[in-house]
Amino acid sequence: FFRLLTMGVGDSPPDRFMCPITQEVMVDPVMDREGHNFERDAIEVWLRNHGECPLGRERMDVASLFANRALKEEIEEWRVRTGNPAPAR
């Protein structure tokens, strides 16, 4: 946590901010029942095509996902501190 508070402009984002599907910093992170986080749009497309978690390979559907508001707030705070704006949607 301390490292996050002391990060400066241009620092790389923490790994937990990265979507394992897109390899980009998440904007709207959601979590599955196993605790994996994904960018909402990316995991919804993945599940329509595959029907299973891309990490654990367990059966999964969109209804089993829930917003990770704490992670979203952390990412937004990091973006403000480091001057890394969210991409336009």
Side-chain angles (χ1 to χ4, degrees), residues 17 27-31 37-38 40 65-77:
F17 290 3
V27 175
D28 188 12
V30 293
M31 183 185 291
N37 290 291
F38 305 94
R40 182 182 301 276
L65 301 171
F66 56 95
N68 189 336
R69 290 181 188 94
L71 181 58
K72 184 174 183 172
E73 286 178 19
E74 256 190 281
I75 292 169
E76 289 171 352
E77 289 170 6

Side-chain angles (χ1 to χ4, degrees), residues 13-26 37-39 75:
D15 289 344
R16 70 182 177 282
F17 290 3
M18 306 300 287
C19 174
I21 298 171
T22 66
Q23 297 299 305
E24 296 177 358
V25 176
M26 293 179 276
N37 290 291
F38 305 94
E39 176 61 42
I75 292 169

